[in-house]
Amino acid sequence: MTDFAAARYFMVEGQIRPNKVTDHRLVDVLSELPREAFVPESARGVAYVDDDLPIGKGRFLLEPMVFARMLQAVAVQETDRVLDVGAAGGYSTAVLARLAGSVVGLDCDEDLTAAAAAALAGQGITNAKLVTGPLAEGYAQGAPYDVIVIEGTVPEVPAAIAEQLAEEGRLVAVVQGGRGVGEVRLFQRTGGVVSSRILFEAQPHGLPGFEKKASFVF
């Protein structure tokens, strides 16, 4: 039988802390939240693997180190309203809910949304809402958001999502670069203008529905 508490400890100590993740609030959440509760039973034994984790239907949870560094970059505050694009099994939404004031978890698959909602309820998380819809459109009904996290590689950040970012809001996404390498980019809206910078390279699996169209021009 897998010792999940030990696996979680080694994830944090072996994958998270050595990779420049120093936000104590984030580290505390990753140390406490049971990742195995958000994946299919068949995947629970490898819930803490240092790679993207397949959860079915061609979808994945981000590698823990990449996920943690992305969340650290957007510096989620206790009063922030967050949009989690590509919520899948709900783990990312749950982590964000422990850090933020409220979270909207968006996924395009109704079965994954239902599973995520059940998993969040099982953890007693009440400040997160799960919705189903096209990922590339975001969720305008809840905008503007202080933080937007896109949970997978995309060719670009669609205008529809960028426009949902609040003033001084932060968005993090893995954008496919020109050399075929994924670039984790931090976007911020200041004075109505969205600018971005590259943080590090990573190559998570892609998200569905992000074909190049209506791109946001920076």
Side-chain angles (χ1 to χ4, degrees):
M1 180 178 292
T2 302
D3 184 341
F4 290 117
R8 191 158 51 251
Y9 172 83
F10 288 119
M11 177 192 75
V12 171
E13 298 302 321
Q15 302 178 47
I16 305 302
R17 291 188 192 274
N19 282 288
K20 305 178 182 179
V21 180
T22 58
D23 183 324
H24 68 90
R25 291 180 62 233
L26 175 57
V27 171
D28 286 349
V29 172
L30 296 174
S31 298
E32 297 166 2
L33 191 68
R35 185 175 165 97
E36 70 275 8
F38 296 88
V39 303
E41 187 172 354
S42 60
R44 288 177 184 170
V46 291
Y48 296 93
V49 67
D50 58 346
D51 200 352
D52 286 2
L53 177 63
I55 61 170
K57 297 198 168 188
R59 301 294 296 284
F60 298 80
L61 297 191
L62 288 178
E63 177 184 345
M65 179 273 289
V66 173
F67 175 63
R69 290 186 67 182
M70 289 173 68
L71 261 58
Q72 179 168 261
V74 289
V76 182
Q77 303 299 307
E78 293 179 357
T79 56
D80 282 345
R81 181 167 179 79
V82 180
L83 175 64
D84 186 29
V85 179
Y91 177 73
S92 56
T93 301
V95 173
L96 288 162
R98 292 283 178 87
L99 297 169
S102 63
V103 183
V104 175
L106 169 67
D107 205 85
C108 57
D109 187 285
E110 291 185 355
D111 292 337
L112 289 176
T113 300
L120 264 69
Q123 296 301 312
I125 294 172
T126 59
N127 63 329
K129 171 183 179 180
L130 277 298
V131 298
T132 305
L135 299 183
E137 294 180 10
Y139 188 69
Q141 294 94 315
Y145 300 98
D146 302 297
V147 171
I148 299 176
V149 181
I150 299 179
E151 303 284 350
T153 301
V154 296
E156 58 197 1
V157 175
I161 292 180
E163 289 167 0
Q164 294 170 27
L165 197 60
E167 180 66 17
E168 300 301 329
R170 293 89 63 204
L171 182 155
V172 66
V174 185
V175 180
Q176 195 69 41
R179 296 181 292 112
V181 177
E183 300 169 343
V184 178
R185 286 182 169 267
L186 176 64
F187 299 80
Q188 185 162 4
R189 181 184 296 278
T190 303
V193 177
V194 177
S195 59
S196 73
R197 60 188 176 92
I198 299 172
L199 301 178
F200 61 97
E201 293 182 349
Q203 197 65 51
H205 287 77
L207 286 175
F210 280 86
E211 297 79 9
K212 282 195 174 185
K213 58 182 179 180
S215 60
F216 192 86
V217 179
F218 300 103

